Amino acid sequence: MFRRLGVSIYPDHSDFDQDVAYLEKAKGHGFERVFMSMLEVSEGKEVVFNKFFKIIKEAKIRNFEVILDIAPVIFDQLDISYDDLTFFHELGADGLRLDLGFDGNKEALLSYNPFGLIIELNMSNDVAYLNNILTYEANKPFIYGCHNFYPQDGSALPLDFFNSCSTRFKKEGIRTAAFVTSQTANYGPWDINDGLPTLEMHRYLPVETQAKHLFATGLIDDVIIGNAYASDAELKALGEVNKYQVSFNIDLVDNINEVEKRNVLENQHVRRGDITERMIRSTEVRKKYKEVNKAHDNEITFYPGDVVIGNENFGKYQNELQIVLQEHTDNRKNLVGKISSEELILLDYVKPWSKFSFQVK
């Protein structure tokens, strides 16, 4: 399934002109969907309609998919029936995220709404919620899944639980989404905002590292920035993320030679299928580079995340590239760079035959 990036907009807390400018920047960096919260509406139906119609129109002009986050109380406040979604269709939305669920039959019926509105389900519960809905013969192409975000420090999901929840959706072929948090944005839907990630381990990581990790799990199709507004630098960094393979940020050593630099940065690396625990081996590059590789930065201990290349003393393994997984020494290898410390979590996702690459941050 193709993968996408998204941003979040909070019309009840934000400025319209700033929202439009944010959408324009996001579009320029390849973002394709918008999460828009309606959980905080407190004004009359006409005021709410005009406010959301105005910003949704701007999003649709830029070809964003717009999903509205709603809860049952919204229907009561706006005097709307779940049996008639005309209000949301007229707003121009593409779908509704149900923050709270029903009995399964209701969600299945909603997926057959006459407007083709997507029904997005809450993924952050490890129960048979989706299976129950599908049992009622839901209109599966119009069902999405999206995790929650968590404003309070310490309150987001642990990785194992996240994996279990997400797998329930992914094995059914449902489009999935999760949130990352900007380190510069300062608001979301509530008055507490310690960031808005889905995974607790992401809360203080660079936003692009969070996205790389979510994509690397193979469980998430859409990565959305939960809080607003992410900085220009963060939007740019996210726009440059490779969504389909792990691409490590690397700091190159001063003594790296030109052949080594090309080896690292200009190749599609592939981990050997017959793996080892000590290192990730990219072996095809040694067939490509026949130049003599003089020894340097080799009389040292190598640590996990170090990137090394075989030197002239390594025989047939000269110019083979490796990522160190276990601490060791071997003077037949040159240290050429170090993977950024925050990205060491990505090493677990380079499996047998996995493709990977490097970029200088």
Side-chain angles (χ1 to χ4, degrees):
M1 193 173 290
F2 64 89
R3 296 172 175 178
R4 303 183 296 181
L5 295 170
V7 292
S8 300
I9 296 290
Y10 300 95
D12 283 302
H13 300 289
S14 59
D15 175 80
F16 172 76
D17 290 333
Q18 286 183 290
D19 285 346
V20 173
Y22 189 48
L23 291 174
E24 185 67 22
K25 290 176 184 177
K27 187 63 182 179
H29 291 294
F31 286 65
E32 297 179 77
R33 66 171 285 183
V34 176
F35 168 88
M36 197 173 295
S37 177
M38 288 193 81
L39 299 183
E40 315 85 63
V41 297
S42 57
E43 300 160 302
K45 187 174 183 178
E46 183 177 354
V47 173
V48 170
F49 181 90
N50 290 335
K51 179 188 296 184
F52 279 82
F53 177 83
K54 188 177 178 183
I55 188 60
I56 291 173
K57 180 180 178 181
E58 293 294 333
K60 297 307 296 179
I61 287 172
R62 293 162 178 80
N63 295 316
F64 283 100
E65 180 182 78
V66 178
I67 306 293
L68 297 176
D69 194 28
I70 62 172
V73 66
I74 301 302
F75 287 79
D76 295 335
Q77 290 178 356
L78 300 179
D79 192 26
I80 300 170
S81 167
Y82 275 105
D83 298 319
D84 183 0
L85 303 182
T86 302
F87 179 81
F88 302 104
H89 169 65
E90 291 178 347
L91 280 178
D94 295 290
L96 306 177
R97 181 182 183 273
L98 306 180
D99 190 55
L100 296 174
F102 298 98
D103 61 358
N105 189 26
K106 172 64 77 174
E107 289 92 335
L109 284 170
L110 287 173
S111 70
Y112 286 93
N113 70 85
F115 309 112
L117 293 172
I118 295 155
I119 303 300
E120 190 167 63
L121 309 175
N122 185 345
M123 287 176 59
S124 295
N125 293 292
D126 194 14
V127 294
Y129 175 50
L130 173 64
N131 306 78
N132 185 36
I133 294 169
L134 296 180
T135 298
Y136 286 102
E137 293 296 325
N139 194 6
K140 201 171 181 180
F142 292 85
I143 299 288
Y144 284 8
C146 180
H147 276 283
N148 284 339
F149 49 51
Y150 297 89
Q152 180 189 155
D153 188 5
S155 66
L157 302 183
L159 181 59
D160 287 347
F161 185 79
F162 165 88
N163 288 340
S164 183
C165 295
S166 303
T167 298
R168 288 180 179 271
F169 281 73
K170 203 64 193 158
K171 71 181 182 181
E172 294 291 347
I174 302 295
R175 174 168 286 280
T176 58
F179 292 94
V180 294
T181 185
S182 162
Q183 301 302 333
T184 62
N186 54 20
Y187 76 89
W190 314 121
D191 55 358
I192 297 296
N193 185 8
D194 300 329
L196 290 177
T198 291
L199 276 167
E200 187 58 41
M201 64 186 295
H202 286 172
R203 194 173 297 274
Y204 300 108
L205 291 178
V207 71
E208 67 272 21
T209 301
Q210 300 171 56
K212 288 181 181 183
H213 186 214
L214 289 177
F215 286 134
T217 66
L219 297 170
I220 298 300
D221 303 305
D222 295 342
V223 170
I224 307 166
I225 306 173
N227 45 1
Y229 301 102
S231 69
D232 293 355
E234 287 177 320
L235 293 175
K236 181 176 185 294
L238 275 174
E240 294 174 350
V241 165
N242 189 321
K243 305 179 188 70
Y244 300 99
Q245 65 173 281
V246 174
S247 181
F248 295 101
N249 283 337
I250 186 172
D251 295 312
L252 301 175
V253 301
D254 292 338
N255 292 329
I256 188 171
N257 61 52
E258 284 304 311
V259 173
E260 290 172 330
K261 187 179 293 187
R262 293 201 307 273
N263 189 329
V264 174
L265 299 178
E266 297 180 9
N267 287 281
Q268 172 64 78
H269 295 285
V270 182
R271 186 177 189 178
R272 281 181 65 112
D274 50 344
I275 63 171
T276 174
E277 291 184 334
R278 178 174 284 188
M279 59 267 185
I280 294 168
R281 299 177 63 195
S282 173
T283 57
E284 288 299 310
V285 288
R286 77 177 190 233
K287 302 174 185 177
K288 179 177 179 179
Y289 298 103
K290 300 300 185 181
E291 295 90 340
V292 173
N293 192 12
K294 297 292 185 182
H296 67 83
D297 296 281
N298 61 322
E299 301 287 346
I300 58 176
T301 299
F302 303 126
Y303 296 97
D306 286 353
V307 179
V308 299
I309 293 178
N311 61 39
E312 60 186 332
N313 301 311
F314 214 4
K316 65 176 287 188
Y317 301 112
Q318 179 178 227
N319 291 319
E320 175 174 308
L321 180 142
Q322 302 176 356
I323 304 176
V324 175
L325 298 178
Q326 295 178 345
E327 179 182 332
H328 67 279
T329 59
D330 190 336
N331 61 17
R332 298 169 301 178
K333 303 175 185 179
N334 297 342
L335 177 69
V336 297
K338 291 178 174 289
I339 292 171
S340 299
S341 59
E342 64 269 12
E343 294 200 349
L344 295 181
I345 60 173
L346 302 177
L347 291 174
D348 289 340
Y349 299 94
V350 183
K351 307 295 185 182
W353 299 114
S354 283
K355 315 305 183 283
F356 63 96
S357 59
F358 300 95
Q359 59 185 14
V360 177
K361 188 172 181 179

